[in-house]
């Protein structure tokens, strides 16, 4: 059983990316257990905190550390990732030598009403995760153009081709986690 933390790039309660995350969890194959890793309460990061991390930041970082893998589900803000998401990654990767993302398998996906469906934000996030030494699932890429009614109120994907693609994406993510953890087993 893989324990997968998921981080939603938007802090908005009604986010379409939150809706997508719920649908992905429903489409995931057996053997994956999901928990949301919230960062809404984190203050803005400053190295002034490095000597004594606030409790909220310690809990956030521990949630990442205790996960086998991380799934990022993010919107695109101004052709990049949301500032709050970048702040959260900074908290998890600092201080030097205590990066929670080191060798932690990750996958990136997102949805937007726009035709390129978060492609630029995902590339920005991938750059940050590369620096954080997080092995990333590079295929399949998943830039989802959100359409009204695509995911119903019960979290079910209503478009057959989208549901099939997202199911395949989650199956690939599970296989990717297994491959990474074979090469870099979790420390006991």
């Amino acid at each position: 059983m893989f324990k997968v933390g998921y981080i939603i790039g938007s802090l908005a309660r009604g986010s379409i990316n939150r809706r997508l995350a719920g649908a992905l969890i429903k489409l995931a194959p057996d053997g994956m257990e999901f928990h949301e890793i919230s960062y809404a309460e984190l203050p803005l990061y400053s190295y002034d905190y490095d000597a004594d991390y606030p409790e909220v930041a310690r809990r956030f970082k521990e949630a990442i550390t205790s996960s086998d893998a991380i799934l990022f589900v993010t919107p695109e803000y101004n052709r990049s990732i949301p500032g709050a998401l970048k702040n959260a990654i900074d908290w998890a990767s600092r201080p030097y030598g205590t990066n929670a993302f080191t060798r932690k398998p990750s996958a990136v996906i997102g949805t937007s009403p726009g035709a390129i469906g978060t492609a630029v934000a995902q590339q920005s996030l991938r750059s940050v995760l590369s620096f954080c030494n997080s092995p990333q699932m590079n295929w399949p890429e998943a830039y989802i153009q959100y359409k009204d009614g695509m995911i119903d109120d019960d979290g079910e994907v209503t478009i057959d081709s989208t549901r099939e693609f997202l199911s395949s994406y989650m199956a690939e993510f599970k296989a990717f986690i297994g491959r990474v953890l074979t090469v870099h087993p979790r420390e006991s």
Side-chain angles (χ1 to χ4, degrees), residues 146-160:
Y146 191 84
K147 297 179 173 128
D148 285 338
M150 183 176 87
I151 302 171
D152 68 21
D153 291 339
D154 294 325
E156 302 293 335
V157 179
T158 61
I159 301 169
D160 291 341

Side-chain angles (χ1 to χ4, degrees), residues 75-120:
E76 183 168 297
Y77 289 2
N78 298 319
R79 295 289 189 246
S80 188
I81 60 175
L85 176 58
K86 176 60 168 70
N87 181 61
I89 293 169
D90 290 345
W91 275 108
S93 63
R94 302 282 200 289
Y96 182 80
T98 65
N99 177 6
F101 293 111
T102 298
R103 297 183 179 159
K104 184 77 56 182
S106 62
V108 177
I109 189 170
T111 189
S112 165
I116 61 171
T118 75
V120 180

